[in-house]
Each structure stands twice: as C-alpha cells, then as structure tokens.
Amino acid sequence: MKCPFCQHEDTQVLDTRVSEEGDSIRRRRRCARCDKRFTTKERIELSMPIIVKKNGSRTEYASAKLRGSLMLALRKRPVSAEAIDTAVASIEEKLLTSGQREVESGYVGELVMLELKRLDKVAYIRFASVYKNFEDLAEFQDAIAEVGQDRKTRK
Ligand SMILES: [Zn+2]
C-alpha cells in the first residue's frame, strides 16, 4: 500500500478492524518514510455465484440482465428508479452472501418476485405469469383478485 502523501511503498499497519457490516476492513497505517498516518478501507472480495439455468447450462451473473427484468416488469408503473436500485442491491446482497458457488436461475427468479411483490403488485403478476407457471393456481388467482380490487378502488 503506497503512502498517499509521499508515494513511499513501505507502510506499516498499526491497527486492523472489520466493519460492522462485516464486508470491509479498515486499516490504520503509518508511512515508514514521512511518518504520516492514514486509514485504508479494503473491501472483502465476495464473488457472485454462477447461475445454473434449467437446461443445466451455466452462465455468469449479469447485473444488467437482472435490472432489465425488473424494468420490464415495472414498465409504466409508478415505481422510482431509486426503488429499483434498492431492489437490485437487495437481490445482489442475498446472492453474494449466499455462500454458494452456483445457484439455480429459479432461485434468482424467486428473489426478483419477492422484491416485485413488495414494490408493485401489477409488476409482480406480470413477471410471475411470464416467468413461471404458478404451481399453485389458487395463489395465482388470489394475486389476480388483489390487483382487481386495487383497480376498482382507484376508479
Ligand atoms: Zn509517506
């Protein structure tokens, strides 16, 4: 780690602390040449699991694809870009901390549905009806009925 003041290569670590969230480390350092002190924050590298598709093929996780699916489901719905960002971050956090090297694409779909359910019921049904055939028809009908009620109360 280079000294930010004099660019000297040799710095000594005085103190190491893991952040409260457990995802980064703070190190208090001292430059061996100019004796100035500074703190570095180092992120612990977690890697995204590989996505296993239904046909068994593997693909790398792509943030843009996830965002694309959410945007499509939320098209013309009253949900802010910020709320979408938060949903993407929440899904990625779950994937990162799953500790798995590989996850099934169905699991990612479930995470998306959880977020959509929270964000917007119409988008949730849009996504769910395309993404998977509901195993439990009653569940699907309940969801449709809920949206129907929303529409009635709006008019
Ligand atoms: Zn220095």
Side-chain angles (χ1 to χ4, degrees):
M1 184 64 68
K2 269 189 191 172
C3 168
F5 303 100
C6 72
Q7 310 305 314
H8 187 60
E9 296 276 356
D10 184 20
T11 56
Q12 182 196 351
V13 176
L14 302 173
D15 185 36
T16 300
R17 278 178 204 187
V18 177
S19 73
E20 271 179 47
E21 298 78 25
D23 62 349
S24 63
I25 295 172
R26 281 179 180 279
R27 287 205 164 104
R28 192 83 188 125
R29 292 173 183 268
R30 182 176 64 206
C31 173
R33 188 161 78 189
C34 72
D35 203 41
K36 284 196 169 118
R37 287 158 199 232
F38 58 97
T39 303
T40 54
K41 191 175 174 188
E42 293 156 37
R43 243 191 107 72
I44 295 169
E45 285 274 340
L46 288 168
S47 56
M48 276 294 185
I50 298 288
I51 310 300
V52 183
K53 291 188 192 172
K54 276 181 186 150
N55 65 11
S57 67
R58 264 80 171 156
T59 177
E60 269 183 39
Y61 170 79
S63 192
K65 266 192 206 166
L66 178 72
R67 181 175 295 272
S69 308
L70 281 165
M71 300 277 277
L72 198 66
L74 287 162
R75 212 167 136 248
K76 294 182 178 171
R77 298 299 305 158
V79 174
S80 71
E82 200 187 341
I84 297 174
D85 285 348
T86 307
V88 169
S90 163
I91 292 166
E92 290 185 340
E93 177 74 21
K94 282 177 188 142
L95 289 173
L96 267 179
T97 56
S98 68
Q100 304 292 320
R101 281 302 297 125
E102 296 185 337
V103 298
E104 286 176 14
S105 60
Y107 175 64
V108 182
E110 296 288 336
L111 295 178
V112 169
M113 281 195 269
L114 274 175
E115 290 301 319
L116 287 176
K117 202 171 189 174
R118 201 175 50 76
L119 283 174
D120 187 276
K121 285 226 160 60
V122 172
Y124 166 66
I125 288 169
R126 239 182 227 168
F127 181 83
S129 60
V130 174
Y131 185 76
K132 74 164 191 185
N133 301 313
F134 273 75
E135 296 277 30
D136 182 358
L137 251 176
E139 190 189 327
F140 187 44
Q141 283 162 353
D142 285 350
I144 295 266
E146 264 182 84
V147 171
Q149 273 168 3
D150 282 357
R151 278 193 192 135
K152 269 177 215 156
T153 49
R154 234 174 265 151
K155 278 176 189 170

